[in-house]
Amino acid sequence: MEEPQRARSHTVTTTTSSFAENFSTTSSSFAYDREFLRTVPGLLIVAEIVLGLLVWTLIAGTEYFRVPAFGWVMFVAVFYWVLTVFFLIIYITMTYTRIPQVPWTTVGLCFNGSAFVLYLSAAIVDASSVSPERGSHNFNSWAASSFFAFLVTICYAGNTYFSFTAWRSRTMQ
């Protein structure tokens, strides 16, 4: 004997909205570009972060407030250090692919170009403000920060070149 099938009292239908699908796929898949740090621009950004950190920590460890010019050097060094860390995170996590409305090549060119110009002025100010003081460790720290400021300037110049070539090839298309 066959048992009669029970009638279903209710039917549950699940649908997902396109927003929920897009949100779940974009937030659950975390993109990470491991190869970026092996490129020349990636290595230059890491060098900018390390050397820039040296610039402002060498100055911050002294009585830099006695020389007003070091205020400018500190501003440039800390400002661009924070922004460079921010851009490194954007490049490593490939956030730029999720925000296509932003012209990233132009942003990179403007950022690196302004960093080069302002870091060059800060390095010159840093070097011209170094003076030996008797019985003080400030001279060595300021001289070292000046050296590293010029190295960071060279790194930003290199990244400005790579940003310019990327921007130019993008605008030629």
Side-chain angles (χ1 to χ4, degrees):
M1 243 186 183
E2 267 182 54
E3 286 186 24
Q5 291 185 351
R6 290 196 279 177
R8 294 186 182 179
S9 60
H10 63 281
T11 306
V12 178
T13 308
T14 14
T15 59
T16 57
S17 68
S18 61
F19 173 76
E21 287 176 0
N22 289 336
F23 183 75
S24 66
T25 57
T26 57
S27 62
S28 66
S29 63
F30 182 70
Y32 175 70
D33 187 6
R34 292 181 186 101
E35 296 299 315
F36 176 73
L37 294 178
R38 295 182 182 162
T39 64
V40 175
L43 293 172
L44 285 173
I45 288 177
V46 170
E48 291 161 2
I49 290 171
V50 171
L51 298 173
L53 180 67
L54 284 172
V55 170
W56 66 264
T57 54
L58 283 167
I59 293 174
T62 65
E63 297 171 352
Y64 69 91
F65 49 85
R66 292 185 180 192
V67 181
F70 286 122
W72 169 247
V73 178
M74 285 291 289
F75 169 74
V76 170
V78 173
F79 180 75
Y80 279 107
W81 185 82
V82 169
L83 286 179
T84 303
V85 169
F86 177 71
F87 274 106
L88 179 65
I89 292 169
I90 285 176
Y91 290 137
I92 286 180
T93 60
M94 298 176 63
T95 303
Y96 59 89
T97 61
R98 296 175 190 226
I99 312 171
Q101 300 84 0
V102 176
W104 288 106
T105 53
T106 306
V107 170
L109 177 61
C110 292
F111 170 74
N112 288 312
S114 67
F116 166 67
V117 170
L118 293 181
Y119 237 110
L120 180 62
S121 72
I124 292 169
V125 167
D126 194 359
S128 65
S129 300
V130 174
S131 63
E133 296 178 6
R134 296 203 175 240
S136 174
H137 72 285
N138 291 348
F139 175 77
N140 291 333
S141 295
W142 291 344
S145 72
S146 175
F147 172 75
F148 289 121
F150 279 106
L151 289 181
V152 175
T153 303
I154 292 168
C155 291
Y156 279 116
N159 255 339
T160 301
Y161 170 76
F162 288 114
S163 295
F164 177 74
T165 56
W167 173 80
R168 188 170 180 192
S169 68
R170 188 154 181 104
T171 57
M172 293 291 189
Q173 295 175 352

